[in-house]
């Protein structure tokens, strides 16, 4: 089993974010993948997406802007199934690789 840590440092928002130039606090975000060959390949693709700024976005929620996961689906729990961003989800690795 693989546990990935995406460490977001504090940063300033981009032009297309809700409040351009606004500083946002970073944080630690975790994602989980199976420890097999396909999971390791997916981890490499997710790392590249992160390095290109594709993993997170700024969203307004209840009048407050915050850093959230972007359009790339991540498993944030080992359990709970697809409805709770967890496993089991037999199609996840195929779906995330299609998005990537």
């Amino acid at each position: 089993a693989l546990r990935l840590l995406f460490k977001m440092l504090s940063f300033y928002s981009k032009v297309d974010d809700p409040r351009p130039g606004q500083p946002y606090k970073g944080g630690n975000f975790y994602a989980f993948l199976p420890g097999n060959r396909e999971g390791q390949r997916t981890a490499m693709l997710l790392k590249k997406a992160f390095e290109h700024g594709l993993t997170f976005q700024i969203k307004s929620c209840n009048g407050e802007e915050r850093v959230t996961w972007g359009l790339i689906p991540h498993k944030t729990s080992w359990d709970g199934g697809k409805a709770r961003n967890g496993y089991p989800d037999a199609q996840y690795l195929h779906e995330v690789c299609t998005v990537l």
Side-chain angles (χ1 to χ4, degrees):
L2 300 172
R3 183 175 94 164
L4 306 176
L5 167 63
F6 295 94
K7 190 166 186 81
M8 284 292 300
L9 302 176
S10 297
F11 66 99
Y12 287 90
S13 60
K14 300 176 288 190
V15 172
D16 55 345
D17 289 329
R19 292 175 46 193
Q22 176 75 23
Y24 289 92
K25 183 179 178 187
N28 294 330
F29 295 80
Y30 293 92
F32 300 91
L33 293 166
N36 59 21
R37 180 182 288 170
E38 194 175 3
Q40 292 171 350
R41 179 179 166 266
T42 303
M44 290 180 0
L45 293 172
L46 288 171
K47 182 181 179 206
K48 286 183 182 182
F50 178 75
E51 290 169 350
H52 285 90
L54 302 173
T55 304
F56 297 99
Q57 62 187 354
I58 306 287
K59 279 192 174 177
S60 292
C61 184
N62 298 326
E64 175 185 15
E65 285 80 22
R66 64 173 82 175
V67 178
T68 64
W69 290 106
L71 299 177
I72 300 169
H74 288 78
K75 290 297 179 186
T76 56
S77 174
W78 279 119
D79 53 20
K82 188 172 186 170
R84 294 182 177 238
N85 295 319
Y87 294 97
D89 183 352
Q91 296 301 312
Y92 173 68
L93 292 175
H94 174 73
E95 290 172 1
V96 73
C97 285
T98 299
V99 171
L100 291 167

